[in-house]
Amino acid sequence: MQNPMPDQTQTPIALVTGASSGIGHACVLALATRGWRVFAGVRNLEDARLLIEAYPQQVTPVLLDITRPEHITRAIAEIEQTFPGQGLQGLVNNAGIAVNAPVEFLELDDLRQIFEINFVAQIAVTQAAIPLLRQGKGRIVNMSSVS
C-alpha cells in the first residue's frame, strides 16, 4: 500500500510569468515568503537556478516564453500534475516588454511584437489557466509597466 500524499490543499498555488527579474521576481519572493507554492515562469535555466537557490521548497521554475503556446501548455500541465485537483489560487501576468520610442518612429513589426507580448500572449496564458483558476477559486492579476 502506498503512503498517502500529504494534504497540500492548504497551500495556495500561483503562476507568475516574467519571474526572472524586476517586479515578477519580487512577486515570486513575496508569495513564497507568505507560504505560497509558486510556479515561476522564466526564459532561461540560469534564472531558474537562482530562484531555486532562493526558495527551494516554495518555488518551482518553469521555462515559459509566453509567446510560445507549447511553453504555456507545458507549464499548465506541470501545475496540474504536481498538484492534481487543487487548481490555481493565483495567476500573475507580469511578463512583458517596454519600448521607449515615440509611436512615429516605431516600425509596425516592432509595434506588433509589443502587442503580441504585452497583450495577446497574456490572454493566451489566462485562457490556458482558466480551468485551474476555476478549480482553485483563483484570481488573476495583470501587471503592466509604468513606461
Side-chain angles (χ1 to χ4, degrees):
M1 180 173 171
Q2 294 181 356
N3 290 334
M5 291 185 62
D7 182 20
Q8 298 172 333
T9 58
Q10 299 304 310
T11 303
I13 301 167
L15 171 61
V16 178
T17 67
S20 295
S21 62
I23 293 170
H25 187 83
C27 287
V28 169
L29 299 184
L31 289 167
T33 59
R34 288 169 177 80
W36 285 65
R37 183 63 193 263
V38 184
F39 287 82
V42 297
R43 293 189 332 158
N44 65 65
L45 295 175
E46 178 60 18
D47 293 336
R49 185 185 63 74
L50 294 172
L51 285 167
I52 291 171
E53 286 177 4
Y55 289 94
Q57 300 301 312
Q58 295 89 357
V59 178
T60 301
V62 290
L63 291 178
L64 180 57
D65 176 338
I66 64 170
T67 65
R68 297 183 60 185
E70 67 274 15
H71 283 206
I72 297 169
T73 300
R74 188 173 52 235
I76 297 300
E78 185 171 343
I79 295 166
E80 285 181 303
Q81 291 168 3
T82 306
F83 294 97
Q86 187 170 344
L88 270 174
Q89 286 68 53
L91 168 62
V92 180
N93 281 317
N94 173 71
I97 61 171
V99 177
N100 297 319
V103 170
E104 68 180 308
F105 298 120
L106 280 176
E107 296 291 329
L108 288 180
D109 285 342
D110 293 337
L111 188 59
R112 286 183 181 97
Q113 181 188 25
I114 293 166
F115 273 89
E116 176 63 29
I117 295 169
N118 293 349
F119 183 70
V120 176
Q122 303 292 347
I123 291 172
V125 173
T126 301
Q127 287 177 334
I130 282 176
L132 288 180
L133 288 162
R134 283 192 179 125
Q135 185 177 39
K137 297 179 177 31
R139 305 267 168 101
I140 302 165
V141 176
N142 292 314
M143 310 286 277
S144 67
S145 170
V146 296
S147 63

mmCIF file of all heavy atoms in Angstrom, residues 13-66:
data_model
loop_
_atom_site.group_PDB
_atom_site.id
_atom_site.type_symbol
_atom_site.label_atom_id
_atom_site.label_comp_id
_atom_site.label_asym_id
_atom_site.label_seq_id
_atom_site.Cartn_x
_atom_site.Cartn_y
_atom_site.Cartn_z
ATOM 1 N N ILE A 13 -1.491 28.080 -4.486
ATOM 2 C CA ILE A 13 -0.581 27.923 -5.611
ATOM 3 C C ILE A 13 -0.774 29.081 -6.580
ATOM 4 O O ILE A 13 -1.902 29.468 -6.889
ATOM 5 C CB ILE A 13 -0.849 26.598 -6.342
ATOM 6 C CG1 ILE A 13 -0.675 25.426 -5.383
ATOM 7 C CG2 ILE A 13 0.062 26.449 -7.554
ATOM 8 C CD1 ILE A 13 -1.208 24.136 -5.930
ATOM 9 N N ALA A 14 0.357 29.613 -7.071
ATOM 10 C CA ALA A 14 0.310 30.706 -8.047
ATOM 11 C C ALA A 14 1.260 30.423 -9.196
ATOM 12 O O ALA A 14 2.278 29.755 -9.027
ATOM 13 C CB ALA A 14 0.686 32.031 -7.391
ATOM 14 N N LEU A 15 0.910 30.966 -10.351
ATOM 15 C CA LEU A 15 1.795 31.003 -11.509
ATOM 16 C C LEU A 15 2.117 32.461 -11.763
ATOM 17 O O LEU A 15 1.210 33.283 -11.891
ATOM 18 C CB LEU A 15 1.122 30.388 -12.738
ATOM 19 C CG LEU A 15 1.859 30.568 -14.074
ATOM 20 C CD1 LEU A 15 3.233 29.917 -14.056
ATOM 21 C CD2 LEU A 15 1.001 30.014 -15.218
ATOM 22 N N VAL A 16 3.421 32.774 -11.810
ATOM 23 C CA VAL A 16 3.879 34.143 -12.080
ATOM 24 C C VAL A 16 4.685 34.117 -13.371
ATOM 25 O O VAL A 16 5.687 33.398 -13.460
ATOM 26 C CB VAL A 16 4.743 34.701 -10.930
ATOM 27 C CG1 VAL A 16 5.247 36.104 -11.257
ATOM 28 C CG2 VAL A 16 3.968 34.697 -9.616
ATOM 29 N N THR A 17 4.263 34.891 -14.368
ATOM 30 C CA THR A 17 5.026 34.987 -15.606
ATOM 31 C C THR A 17 6.039 36.124 -15.479
ATOM 32 O O THR A 17 5.865 37.034 -14.675
ATOM 33 C CB THR A 17 4.109 35.243 -16.823
ATOM 34 O OG1 THR A 17 3.524 36.540 -16.717
ATOM 35 C CG2 THR A 17 3.038 34.180 -16.934
ATOM 36 N N GLY A 18 7.107 36.047 -16.256
ATOM 37 C CA GLY A 18 8.127 37.094 -16.203
ATOM 38 C C GLY A 18 8.800 37.182 -14.849
ATOM 39 O O GLY A 18 9.038 38.266 -14.314
ATOM 40 N N ALA A 19 9.131 36.020 -14.283
ATOM 41 C CA ALA A 19 9.648 35.953 -12.915
ATOM 42 C C ALA A 19 11.163 36.078 -12.814
ATOM 43 O O ALA A 19 11.714 36.018 -11.722
ATOM 44 C CB ALA A 19 9.203 34.639 -12.270
ATOM 45 N N SER A 20 11.849 36.279 -13.920
ATOM 46 C CA SER A 20 13.316 36.310 -13.899
ATOM 47 C C SER A 20 13.883 37.529 -13.193
ATOM 48 O O SER A 20 14.948 37.462 -12.595
ATOM 49 C CB SER A 20 13.857 36.275 -15.333
ATOM 50 O OG SER A 20 13.525 35.062 -15.947
ATOM 51 N N SER A 21 13.189 38.654 -13.295
ATOM 52 C CA SER A 21 13.755 39.886 -12.732
ATOM 53 C C SER A 21 12.638 40.857 -12.392
ATOM 54 O O SER A 21 11.460 40.610 -12.676
ATOM 55 C CB SER A 21 14.711 40.537 -13.744
ATOM 56 O OG SER A 21 14.000 40.901 -14.913
ATOM 57 N N GLY A 22 13.027 41.948 -11.795
ATOM 58 C CA GLY A 22 12.106 43.051 -11.542
ATOM 59 C C GLY A 22 10.903 42.685 -10.703
ATOM 60 O O GLY A 22 10.990 41.936 -9.739
ATOM 61 N N ILE A 23 9.757 43.220 -11.115
ATOM 62 C CA ILE A 23 8.523 43.043 -10.351
ATOM 63 C C ILE A 23 8.112 41.579 -10.295
ATOM 64 O O ILE A 23 7.642 41.100 -9.258
ATOM 65 C CB ILE A 23 7.401 43.916 -10.944
ATOM 66 C CG1 ILE A 23 7.740 45.394 -10.742
ATOM 67 C CG2 ILE A 23 6.056 43.591 -10.317
ATOM 68 C CD1 ILE A 23 6.842 46.358 -11.486
ATOM 69 N N GLY A 24 8.288 40.844 -11.387
ATOM 70 C CA GLY A 24 7.929 39.425 -11.387
ATOM 71 C C GLY A 24 8.724 38.637 -10.359
ATOM 72 O O GLY A 24 8.180 37.822 -9.619
ATOM 73 N N HIS A 25 10.028 38.890 -10.310
ATOM 74 C CA HIS A 25 10.886 38.223 -9.327
ATOM 75 C C HIS A 25 10.439 38.602 -7.916
ATOM 76 O O HIS A 25 10.336 37.731 -7.040
ATOM 77 C CB HIS A 25 12.338 38.626 -9.573
ATOM 78 C CG HIS A 25 13.328 37.890 -8.747
ATOM 79 N ND1 HIS A 25 13.812 36.650 -9.092
ATOM 80 C CD2 HIS A 25 13.918 38.207 -7.564
ATOM 81 C CE1 HIS A 25 14.668 36.243 -8.172
ATOM 82 N NE2 HIS A 25 14.742 37.170 -7.240
ATOM 83 N N ALA A 26 10.148 39.875 -7.702
ATOM 84 C CA ALA A 26 9.697 40.335 -6.386
ATOM 85 C C ALA A 26 8.366 39.685 -5.999
ATOM 86 O O ALA A 26 8.164 39.330 -4.829
ATOM 87 C CB ALA A 26 9.580 41.856 -6.375
ATOM 88 N N CYS A 27 7.473 39.507 -6.970
ATOM 89 C CA CYS A 27 6.197 38.840 -6.696
ATOM 90 C C CYS A 27 6.419 37.399 -6.243
ATOM 91 O O CYS A 27 5.789 36.935 -5.294
ATOM 92 C CB CYS A 27 5.308 38.858 -7.929
ATOM 93 S SG CYS A 27 4.588 40.458 -8.313
ATOM 94 N N VAL A 28 7.313 36.695 -6.942
ATOM 95 C CA VAL A 28 7.614 35.311 -6.581
ATOM 96 C C VAL A 28 8.124 35.248 -5.147
ATOM 97 O O VAL A 28 7.652 34.436 -4.337
ATOM 98 C CB VAL A 28 8.647 34.690 -7.546
ATOM 99 C CG1 VAL A 28 9.165 33.356 -7.009
ATOM 100 C CG2 VAL A 28 8.049 34.513 -8.929
ATOM 101 N N LEU A 29 9.075 36.091 -4.817
ATOM 102 C CA LEU A 29 9.647 36.065 -3.468
ATOM 103 C C LEU A 29 8.623 36.458 -2.412
ATOM 104 O O LEU A 29 8.570 35.860 -1.330
ATOM 105 C CB LEU A 29 10.879 36.963 -3.409
ATOM 106 C CG LEU A 29 12.027 36.552 -4.345
ATOM 107 C CD1 LEU A 29 13.239 37.458 -4.148
ATOM 108 C CD2 LEU A 29 12.417 35.097 -4.164
ATOM 109 N N ALA A 30 7.779 37.447 -2.714
ATOM 110 C CA ALA A 30 6.755 37.869 -1.757
ATOM 111 C C ALA A 30 5.757 36.739 -1.501
ATOM 112 O O ALA A 30 5.386 36.488 -0.345
ATOM 113 C CB ALA A 30 6.042 39.116 -2.276
ATOM 114 N N LEU A 31 5.325 36.075 -2.554
ATOM 115 C CA LEU A 31 4.387 34.966 -2.372
ATOM 116 C C LEU A 31 5.042 33.801 -1.629
ATOM 117 O O LEU A 31 4.430 33.211 -0.726
ATOM 118 C CB LEU A 31 3.863 34.498 -3.728
ATOM 119 C CG LEU A 31 2.892 35.456 -4.432
ATOM 120 C CD1 LEU A 31 2.698 35.048 -5.897
ATOM 121 C CD2 LEU A 31 1.555 35.505 -3.706
ATOM 122 N N ALA A 32 6.282 33.473 -1.995
ATOM 123 C CA ALA A 32 6.982 32.349 -1.351
ATOM 124 C C ALA A 32 7.163 32.593 0.141
ATOM 125 O O ALA A 32 6.982 31.670 0.944
ATOM 126 C CB ALA A 32 8.333 32.118 -2.028
ATOM 127 N N THR A 33 7.509 33.809 0.529
ATOM 128 C CA THR A 33 7.713 34.097 1.955
ATOM 129 C C THR A 33 6.397 34.079 2.736
ATOM 130 O O THR A 33 6.415 33.978 3.954
ATOM 131 C CB THR A 33 8.415 35.453 2.178
ATOM 132 O OG1 THR A 33 7.622 36.487 1.609
ATOM 133 C CG2 THR A 33 9.799 35.453 1.573
ATOM 134 N N ARG A 34 5.288 34.152 2.030
ATOM 135 C CA ARG A 34 3.973 34.109 2.678
ATOM 136 C C ARG A 34 3.343 32.709 2.620
ATOM 137 O O ARG A 34 2.153 32.544 2.872
ATOM 138 C CB ARG A 34 3.051 35.127 2.042
ATOM 139 C CG ARG A 34 3.425 36.553 2.422
ATOM 140 C CD ARG A 34 2.687 37.577 1.579
ATOM 141 N NE ARG A 34 2.992 38.930 1.999
ATOM 142 C CZ ARG A 34 4.086 39.613 1.676
ATOM 143 N NH1 ARG A 34 5.019 39.045 0.925
ATOM 144 N NH2 ARG A 34 4.275 40.842 2.097
ATOM 145 N N GLY A 35 4.145 31.720 2.227
ATOM 146 C CA GLY A 35 3.684 30.344 2.266
ATOM 147 C C GLY A 35 3.052 29.823 0.994
ATOM 148 O O GLY A 35 2.535 28.702 0.982
ATOM 149 N N TRP A 36 3.064 30.599 -0.075
ATOM 150 C CA TRP A 36 2.517 30.129 -1.343
ATOM 151 C C TRP A 36 3.495 29.188 -2.013
ATOM 152 O O TRP A 36 4.706 29.311 -1.858
ATOM 153 C CB TRP A 36 2.269 31.305 -2.282
ATOM 154 C CG TRP A 36 1.073 32.136 -1.943
ATOM 155 C CD1 TRP A 36 0.907 32.898 -0.820
ATOM 156 C CD2 TRP A 36 -0.098 32.315 -2.722
ATOM 157 N NE1 TRP A 36 -0.302 33.536 -0.864
ATOM 158 C CE2 TRP A 36 -0.934 33.198 -2.032
ATOM 159 C CE3 TRP A 36 -0.502 31.815 -3.953
ATOM 160 C CZ2 TRP A 36 -2.176 33.588 -2.518
ATOM 161 C CZ3 TRP A 36 -1.739 32.209 -4.446
ATOM 162 C CH2 TRP A 36 -2.569 33.083 -3.722
ATOM 163 N N ARG A 37 2.968 28.274 -2.808
ATOM 164 C CA ARG A 37 3.780 27.462 -3.712
ATOM 165 C C ARG A 37 3.725 28.180 -5.055
ATOM 166 O O ARG A 37 2.638 28.412 -5.582
ATOM 167 C CB ARG A 37 3.206 26.056 -3.808
ATOM 168 C CG ARG A 37 4.005 25.132 -4.660
ATOM 169 C CD ARG A 37 5.409 24.934 -4.063
ATOM 170 N NE ARG A 37 6.247 24.294 -5.025
ATOM 171 C CZ ARG A 37 6.484 22.990 -5.065
ATOM 172 N NH1 ARG A 37 5.978 22.192 -4.167
ATOM 173 N NH2 ARG A 37 7.238 22.490 -5.998
ATOM 174 N N VAL A 38 4.871 28.575 -5.586
ATOM 175 C CA VAL A 38 4.906 29.434 -6.766
ATOM 176 C C VAL A 38 5.582 28.730 -7.937
ATOM 177 O O VAL A 38 6.709 28.240 -7.817
ATOM 178 C CB VAL A 38 5.655 30.755 -6.472
ATOM 179 C CG1 VAL A 38 5.599 31.681 -7.675
ATOM 180 C CG2 VAL A 38 5.086 31.446 -5.236
ATOM 181 N N PHE A 39 4.883 28.698 -9.057
ATOM 182 C CA PHE A 39 5.465 28.265 -10.318
ATOM 183 C C PHE A 39 5.902 29.550 -11.013
ATOM 184 O O PHE A 39 5.075 30.409 -11.331
ATOM 185 C CB PHE A 39 4.445 27.480 -11.148
ATOM 186 C CG PHE A 39 4.200 26.115 -10.589
ATOM 187 C CD1 PHE A 39 3.319 25.930 -9.530
ATOM 188 C CD2 PHE A 39 4.876 25.012 -11.089
ATOM 189 C CE1 PHE A 39 3.108 24.673 -8.994
ATOM 190 C CE2 PHE A 39 4.674 23.748 -10.555
ATOM 191 C CZ PHE A 39 3.788 23.581 -9.506
ATOM 192 N N ALA A 40 7.211 29.695 -11.169
ATOM 193 C CA ALA A 40 7.808 30.935 -11.652
ATOM 194 C C ALA A 40 8.218 30.796 -13.108
ATOM 195 O O ALA A 40 9.127 30.036 -13.434
ATOM 196 C CB ALA A 40 9.017 31.293 -10.792
ATOM 197 N N GLY A 41 7.554 31.537 -13.980
ATOM 198 C CA GLY A 41 7.855 31.492 -15.399
ATOM 199 C C GLY A 41 9.127 32.254 -15.723
ATOM 200 O O GLY A 41 9.217 33.459 -15.488
ATOM 201 N N VAL A 42 10.121 31.530 -16.225
ATOM 202 C CA VAL A 42 11.408 32.126 -16.598
ATOM 203 C C VAL A 42 11.744 31.704 -18.021
ATOM 204 O O VAL A 42 11.190 30.738 -18.536
ATOM 205 C CB VAL A 42 12.541 31.703 -15.637
ATOM 206 C CG1 VAL A 42 12.274 32.190 -14.219
ATOM 207 C CG2 VAL A 42 12.734 30.197 -15.635
ATOM 208 N N ARG A 43 12.671 32.436 -18.642
ATOM 209 C CA ARG A 43 13.012 32.105 -20.028
ATOM 210 C C ARG A 43 14.370 31.439 -20.179
ATOM 211 O O ARG A 43 14.753 31.078 -21.282
ATOM 212 C CB ARG A 43 12.933 33.351 -20.897
ATOM 213 C CG ARG A 43 11.505 33.831 -21.020
ATOM 214 C CD ARG A 43 11.285 34.917 -22.015
ATOM 215 N NE ARG A 43 12.438 35.754 -22.221
ATOM 216 C CZ ARG A 43 12.636 36.479 -23.303
ATOM 217 N NH1 ARG A 43 11.768 36.469 -24.274
ATOM 218 N NH2 ARG A 43 13.705 37.228 -23.418
ATOM 219 N N ASN A 44 15.114 31.267 -19.073
ATOM 220 C CA ASN A 44 16.400 30.575 -19.202
ATOM 221 C C ASN A 44 16.735 29.824 -17.912
ATOM 222 O O ASN A 44 16.194 30.113 -16.845
ATOM 223 C CB ASN A 44 17.523 31.533 -19.610
ATOM 224 C CG ASN A 44 17.810 32.569 -18.566
ATOM 225 O OD1 ASN A 44 18.263 32.240 -17.471
ATOM 226 N ND2 ASN A 44 17.557 33.835 -18.884
ATOM 227 N N LEU A 45 17.634 28.865 -18.033
ATOM 228 C CA LEU A 45 17.975 27.987 -16.911
ATOM 229 C C LEU A 45 18.725 28.699 -15.795
ATOM 230 O O LEU A 45 18.601 28.321 -14.634
ATOM 231 C CB LEU A 45 18.778 26.786 -17.427
ATOM 232 C CG LEU A 45 18.010 25.862 -18.373
ATOM 233 C CD1 LEU A 45 18.929 24.779 -18.928
ATOM 234 C CD2 LEU A 45 16.816 25.240 -17.674
ATOM 235 N N GLU A 46 19.500 29.723 -16.120
ATOM 236 C CA GLU A 46 20.222 30.465 -15.076
ATOM 237 C C GLU A 46 19.239 31.157 -14.136
ATOM 238 O O GLU A 46 19.409 31.130 -12.919
ATOM 239 C CB GLU A 46 21.191 31.479 -15.697
ATOM 240 C CG GLU A 46 21.940 32.312 -14.684
ATOM 241 C CD GLU A 46 22.821 31.517 -13.709
ATOM 242 O OE1 GLU A 46 23.147 30.348 -13.984
ATOM 243 O OE2 GLU A 46 23.170 32.072 -12.655
ATOM 244 N N ASP A 47 18.209 31.776 -14.699
ATOM 245 C CA ASP A 47 17.193 32.418 -13.856
ATOM 246 C C ASP A 47 16.469 31.384 -13.004
ATOM 247 O O ASP A 47 16.147 31.639 -11.848
ATOM 248 C CB ASP A 47 16.203 33.197 -14.720
ATOM 249 C CG ASP A 47 16.840 34.399 -15.392
ATOM 250 O OD1 ASP A 47 17.863 34.910 -14.882
ATOM 251 O OD2 ASP A 47 16.320 34.835 -16.426
ATOM 252 N N ALA A 48 16.218 30.219 -13.568
ATOM 253 C CA ALA A 48 15.586 29.131 -12.822
ATOM 254 C C ALA A 48 16.459 28.720 -11.643
ATOM 255 O O ALA A 48 15.973 28.552 -10.524
ATOM 256 C CB ALA A 48 15.334 27.938 -13.738
ATOM 257 N N ARG A 49 17.751 28.585 -11.872
ATOM 258 C CA ARG A 49 18.676 28.177 -10.818
ATOM 259 C C ARG A 49 18.673 29.182 -9.670
ATOM 260 O O ARG A 49 18.638 28.804 -8.492
ATOM 261 C CB ARG A 49 20.091 28.037 -11.388
ATOM 262 C CG ARG A 49 21.112 27.493 -10.388
ATOM 263 C CD ARG A 49 22.524 27.495 -10.955
ATOM 264 N NE ARG A 49 23.022 28.824 -11.253
ATOM 265 C CZ ARG A 49 23.419 29.717 -10.331
ATOM 266 N NH1 ARG A 49 23.386 29.414 -9.056
ATOM 267 N NH2 ARG A 49 23.858 30.905 -10.692
ATOM 268 N N LEU A 50 18.671 30.458 -9.982
ATOM 269 C CA LEU A 50 18.680 31.495 -8.948
ATOM 270 C C LEU A 50 17.420 31.449 -8.091
ATOM 271 O O LEU A 50 17.485 31.630 -6.876
ATOM 272 C CB LEU A 50 18.858 32.875 -9.579
ATOM 273 C CG LEU A 50 20.207 33.122 -10.255
ATOM 274 C CD1 LEU A 50 20.202 34.448 -11.002
ATOM 275 C CD2 LEU A 50 21.340 33.081 -9.237
ATOM 276 N N LEU A 51 16.294 31.198 -8.704
ATOM 277 C CA LEU A 51 15.045 31.103 -7.938
ATOM 278 C C LEU A 51 15.033 29.875 -7.042
ATOM 279 O O LEU A 51 14.583 29.933 -5.898
ATOM 280 C CB LEU A 51 13.853 31.086 -8.884
ATOM 281 C CG LEU A 51 13.490 32.436 -9.503
ATOM 282 C CD1 LEU A 51 12.507 32.248 -10.641
ATOM 283 C CD2 LEU A 51 12.935 33.374 -8.456
ATOM 284 N N ILE A 52 15.539 28.758 -7.554
ATOM 285 C CA ILE A 52 15.600 27.540 -6.740
ATOM 286 C C ILE A 52 16.507 27.745 -5.530
ATOM 287 O O ILE A 52 16.196 27.302 -4.424
ATOM 288 C CB ILE A 52 16.063 26.334 -7.582
ATOM 289 C CG1 ILE A 52 14.985 25.952 -8.585
ATOM 290 C CG2 ILE A 52 16.401 25.140 -6.697
ATOM 291 C CD1 ILE A 52 15.428 24.923 -9.604
ATOM 292 N N GLU A 53 17.628 28.428 -5.732
ATOM 293 C CA GLU A 53 18.534 28.694 -4.615
ATOM 294 C C GLU A 53 17.880 29.564 -3.548
ATOM 295 O O GLU A 53 18.110 29.369 -2.359
ATOM 296 C CB GLU A 53 19.816 29.366 -5.118
ATOM 297 C CG GLU A 53 20.742 28.428 -5.843
ATOM 298 C CD GLU A 53 21.983 29.129 -6.392
ATOM 299 O OE1 GLU A 53 22.165 30.346 -6.153
ATOM 300 O OE2 GLU A 53 22.767 28.448 -7.080
ATOM 301 N N ALA A 54 17.072 30.516 -3.964
ATOM 302 C CA ALA A 54 16.442 31.431 -3.016
ATOM 303 C C ALA A 54 15.366 30.736 -2.178
ATOM 304 O O ALA A 54 15.301 30.920 -0.968
ATOM 305 C CB ALA A 54 15.849 32.634 -3.753
ATOM 306 N N TYR A 55 14.511 29.944 -2.821
ATOM 307 C CA TYR A 55 13.398 29.306 -2.130
ATOM 308 C C TYR A 55 13.157 27.909 -2.692
ATOM 309 O O TYR A 55 12.196 27.677 -3.418
ATOM 310 C CB TYR A 55 12.117 30.144 -2.271
ATOM 311 C CG TYR A 55 12.187 31.418 -1.468
ATOM 312 C CD1 TYR A 55 12.620 32.597 -2.045
ATOM 313 C CD2 TYR A 55 11.848 31.419 -0.121
ATOM 314 C CE1 TYR A 55 12.708 33.760 -1.305
ATOM 315 C CE2 TYR A 55 11.935 32.580 0.633
ATOM 316 C CZ TYR A 55 12.360 33.744 0.022
ATOM 317 O OH TYR A 55 12.456 34.887 0.762
ATOM 318 N N PRO A 56 14.008 26.949 -2.335
ATOM 319 C CA PRO A 56 13.921 25.618 -2.953
ATOM 320 C C PRO A 56 12.624 24.867 -2.648
ATOM 321 O O PRO A 56 12.179 24.070 -3.460
ATOM 322 C CB PRO A 56 15.131 24.881 -2.386
ATOM 323 C CG PRO A 56 15.499 25.617 -1.148
ATOM 324 C CD PRO A 56 15.091 27.039 -1.365
ATOM 325 N N GLN A 57 12.007 25.107 -1.517
ATOM 326 C CA GLN A 57 10.792 24.381 -1.161
ATOM 327 C C GLN A 57 9.527 25.021 -1.730
ATOM 328 O O GLN A 57 8.541 24.347 -1.957
ATOM 329 C CB GLN A 57 10.655 24.277 0.363
ATOM 330 C CG GLN A 57 11.797 23.565 1.028
ATOM 331 C CD GLN A 57 11.967 22.147 0.509
ATOM 332 O OE1 GLN A 57 11.004 21.395 0.407
ATOM 333 N NE2 GLN A 57 13.187 21.771 0.168
ATOM 334 N N GLN A 58 9.556 26.332 -1.946
ATOM 335 C CA GLN A 58 8.335 27.033 -2.338
ATOM 336 C C GLN A 58 8.244 27.361 -3.824
ATOM 337 O O GLN A 58 7.164 27.612 -4.327
ATOM 338 C CB GLN A 58 8.203 28.360 -1.569
ATOM 339 C CG GLN A 58 8.031 28.201 -0.089
ATOM 340 C CD GLN A 58 9.374 28.157 0.649
ATOM 341 O OE1 GLN A 58 10.437 28.196 0.057
ATOM 342 N NE2 GLN A 58 9.305 28.057 1.960
ATOM 343 N N VAL A 59 9.383 27.418 -4.521
ATOM 344 C CA VAL A 59 9.395 27.898 -5.900
ATOM 345 C C VAL A 59 9.783 26.783 -6.865
ATOM 346 O O VAL A 59 10.777 26.098 -6.662
ATOM 347 C CB VAL A 59 10.361 29.095 -6.059
ATOM 348 C CG1 VAL A 59 10.419 29.554 -7.506
ATOM 349 C CG2 VAL A 59 9.941 30.245 -5.148
ATOM 350 N N THR A 60 8.978 26.641 -7.899
ATOM 351 C CA THR A 60 9.267 25.718 -8.987
ATOM 352 C C THR A 60 9.369 26.526 -10.268
ATOM 353 O O THR A 60 8.352 27.010 -10.781
ATOM 354 C CB THR A 60 8.153 24.660 -9.146
ATOM 355 O OG1 THR A 60 8.024 23.941 -7.926
ATOM 356 C CG2 THR A 60 8.464 23.712 -10.301
ATOM 357 N N PRO A 61 10.579 26.733 -10.776
ATOM 358 C CA PRO A 61 10.702 27.458 -12.045
ATOM 359 C C PRO A 61 10.169 26.614 -13.199
ATOM 360 O O PRO A 61 10.327 25.393 -13.210
ATOM 361 C CB PRO A 61 12.207 27.671 -12.204
ATOM 362 C CG PRO A 61 12.797 27.383 -10.870
ATOM 363 C CD PRO A 61 11.875 26.419 -10.195
ATOM 364 N N VAL A 62 9.508 27.285 -14.139
ATOM 365 C CA VAL A 62 9.056 26.631 -15.369
ATOM 366 C C VAL A 62 9.538 27.488 -16.533
ATOM 367 O O VAL A 62 9.436 28.705 -16.497
ATOM 368 C CB VAL A 62 7.528 26.446 -15.416
ATOM 369 C CG1 VAL A 62 7.074 25.398 -14.423
ATOM 370 C CG2 VAL A 62 6.784 27.743 -15.184
ATOM 371 N N LEU A 63 10.110 26.835 -17.543
ATOM 372 C CA LEU A 63 10.534 27.571 -18.732
ATOM 373 C C LEU A 63 9.274 28.043 -19.450
ATOM 374 O O LEU A 63 8.443 27.224 -19.864
ATOM 375 C CB LEU A 63 11.400 26.712 -19.636
ATOM 376 C CG LEU A 63 12.783 26.384 -19.076
ATOM 377 C CD1 LEU A 63 13.554 25.490 -20.040
ATOM 378 C CD2 LEU A 63 13.568 27.645 -18.780
ATOM 379 N N LEU A 64 9.124 29.356 -19.562
ATOM 380 C CA LEU A 64 7.875 29.902 -20.067
ATOM 381 C C LEU A 64 8.113 31.184 -20.854
ATOM 382 O O LEU A 64 8.254 32.261 -20.293
ATOM 383 C CB LEU A 64 6.907 30.171 -18.903
ATOM 384 C CG LEU A 64 5.536 30.737 -19.231
ATOM 385 C CD1 LEU A 64 4.787 29.837 -20.200
ATOM 386 C CD2 LEU A 64 4.736 30.944 -17.959
ATOM 387 N N ASP A 65 8.172 31.007 -22.162
ATOM 388 C CA ASP A 65 8.128 32.143 -23.076
ATOM 389 C C ASP A 65 6.659 32.250 -23.452
ATOM 390 O O ASP A 65 6.125 31.377 -24.145
ATOM 391 C CB ASP A 65 9.002 31.881 -24.304
ATOM 392 C CG ASP A 65 8.936 32.985 -25.341
ATOM 393 O OD1 ASP A 65 7.944 33.760 -25.350
ATOM 394 O OD2 ASP A 65 9.854 33.066 -26.164
ATOM 395 N N ILE A 66 5.983 33.292 -22.997
ATOM 396 C CA ILE A 66 4.531 33.366 -23.145
ATOM 397 C C ILE A 66 4.076 33.502 -24.586
ATOM 398 O O ILE A 66 2.887 33.371 -24.868
ATOM 399 C CB ILE A 66 3.917 34.475 -22.279
ATOM 400 C CG1 ILE A 66 4.397 35.861 -22.711
ATOM 401 C CG2 ILE A 66 4.200 34.211 -20.810
ATOM 402 C CD1 ILE A 66 3.648 37.006 -22.054
#
